[in-house]
Amino acid sequence: MPSDKSQYRGYEIRLRQEWSNWCAHIHPTRDDLPMLALSPLRTLSQSRKEALAAAKHNIDEALGDVKQDVA
């Protein structure tokens, strides 16, 4: 199965293709960062790019940096 890794805000994001979709596993690279107890299926996406964006959003959300849209 194809996979790749990237870094974002102190986390390692491991993308892996599952069947015809992509999922992301998120792991902290430092002890001072919270563990993200998220199922990789939460980031199940049809493309690698979408899975990476979902993983980054999950990290931002866990660190309290999600921007709220104002209508």
Side-chain angles (χ1 to χ4, degrees):
M1 285 181 208
S3 67
D4 60 52
K5 298 177 187 179
S6 63
Q7 297 282 324
Y8 181 71
R9 299 187 67 186
Y11 288 86
E12 179 180 82
I13 301 170
R14 298 179 191 161
L15 298 175
R16 187 175 74 208
Q17 194 166 17
E18 296 284 343
W19 306 287
S20 62
N21 293 303
W22 285 84
C23 65
H25 298 267
I26 304 168
H27 305 278
T29 60
R30 301 187 321 252
D31 291 337
D32 63 330
L33 293 171
M35 291 291 295
L36 300 181
L38 300 173
S39 165
L41 296 180
R42 184 172 177 192
T43 57
L44 194 63
S45 303
Q46 291 186 352
S47 74
R48 180 196 168 284
K49 184 177 178 178
E50 289 174 0
L52 183 58
K56 288 179 177 182
H57 177 79
N58 291 340
I59 292 168
D60 289 341
E61 189 175 65
L63 297 178
D65 292 341
V66 173
K67 304 289 189 271
Q68 298 294 325
D69 290 333
V70 178

